[in-house]
Amino acid sequence: GELRGRLRFQGVTITDAIEAGALAPFGRTSNRAVLAADAGQDLLLFSSRSLAQGIEGRQGLARALGRGRLDRRAFLQSVRRVMDLRADLAARPRGPLPAPR
């Protein structure tokens, strides 16, 4: 609420690694993903080398949406922000970055 409410941030928010050891008190990867989404995070990073953690996070999100634990409207707004970012990045010209001034 702080970023979007008080500061009026409209961009995409991105987590650090959801499976990080420091987050162990928040339960399994699936629960951490739900907590992050509920806190307003748009992109959740699962950076482990285990594909299973990303799958577990996705399944947790799907269950939470189906059970009404996550606000569907907020979730869809998050999806829209990510899709808009993807479209913006795809529309940019590709090539070398300009030299610093």
Side-chain angles (χ1 to χ4, degrees), residues 7 18 36 45 52 71 96:
L7 298 175
I18 292 291
L45 297 184
D71 180 90

Side-chain angles (χ1 to χ4, degrees), residues 3 10-11 13 20-22 29 33 44 48 52 67-68 78 80 87 97-98 101:
L3 277 175
Q10 299 298 313
T13 57
T29 302
L44 311 181
S48 177
R67 295 176 180 164
S78 180
R80 174 54 43 208
L97 294 174
R101 294 181 187 199

